[in-house]
Amino acid sequence: MTDIELKQPLADIQTEEDVTRLVYTFYDKVRADELLGPVFDKAIADWSPHLEIMCNFWSTMLLYSGRYKGDPMSKHFSLPIDPSHFSQWLLLFKGTVDALFQGEVADNAKARAKNIARIMQSMLGLTPNNNN
Ligand code: HEM
């Protein structure tokens, strides 16, 4: 055995199972995060429905399933968030996508997240940090 590991190339996001893995892994990181964890924990009493909504959301964004019918913007107006929260959210999201997947849909996921974060911040009257 050598120390050199042959890395398998990662697959792209292709199925509902992939979306579920992305969402669950991402929110595990969010909940453990010093900055974001408390904001989510205060707002969300029961995580199962939230995770299901988020799987539906990303399945609609990335696989065009049409399962999400909600309004992503409205839930964010009453949260105590500023651009630093969005930067951290995007950092964790990008890190999660890159650790699990690679390809066109994975790139699309990161681009969509970045765009939506920008729109949200603009609707909240916030000026995004330079890196997001
Ligand atoms: C500062 C970063 C963010 C924080 C702290 C945050 C927090 C939250 C919280 C606490 C909820 C649940 C609200 C509730 O059920 O009462 C929620 C819902 C949601 N968030 Fe975020 N969020 C952030 C950024 C984003 C971004 C960038 C996106 C999209 C790319 C997003 C998409 C959604 C969606 C789709 C929902 C579900 C809305 C519904 O119930 O239909 N969030 N968010």
Side-chain angles (χ1 to χ4, degrees):
M1 279 294 259
T2 71
D3 286 344
I4 302 165
E5 251 180 58
L6 285 177
K7 283 209 174 145
Q8 295 286 338
L10 296 168
D12 205 352
I13 301 166
Q14 299 169 81
T15 64
E16 295 295 343
E17 287 72 27
D18 293 339
V19 170
T20 301
R21 192 150 71 96
L22 170 62
V23 167
Y24 276 68
T25 310
F26 173 62
Y27 282 101
D28 275 351
K29 290 188 192 192
V30 162
R31 294 180 77 173
D33 187 78
E34 226 173 88
L35 181 67
L36 296 176
V39 177
F40 278 87
D41 278 339
K42 205 154 187 263
I44 297 176
D46 182 357
W47 272 85
S48 313
H50 179 67
L51 291 172
E52 201 183 323
I53 292 170
M54 297 315 297
C55 287
N56 289 340
F57 174 74
W58 283 109
S59 145
T60 299
M61 290 293 123
L62 303 177
L63 305 178
Y64 308 103
S65 67
R67 281 168 36 188
Y68 179 74
K69 305 277 185 226
D71 163 20
M73 301 299 166
S74 61
K75 294 282 169 98
H76 299 85
F77 283 111
S78 56
L79 297 175
I81 47 180
D82 62 34
S84 72
H85 295 88
F86 282 95
S87 295
Q88 187 63 6
W89 191 105
L90 287 168
L91 195 73
L92 293 184
F93 190 78
K94 182 179 182 305
T96 309
V97 173
D98 288 342
L100 298 175
F101 302 103
Q102 99 190 10
E104 239 174 76
V105 186
D107 289 345
N108 189 26
K110 291 179 279 182
R112 297 297 286 271
K114 205 169 166 173
N115 275 335
I116 296 168
R118 277 201 165 263
I119 296 166
M120 274 181 183
Q121 288 177 91
S122 142
M123 288 179 77
L124 292 167
L126 300 169
T127 306
N129 287 337
N130 283 340
N131 59 343
N132 61 74

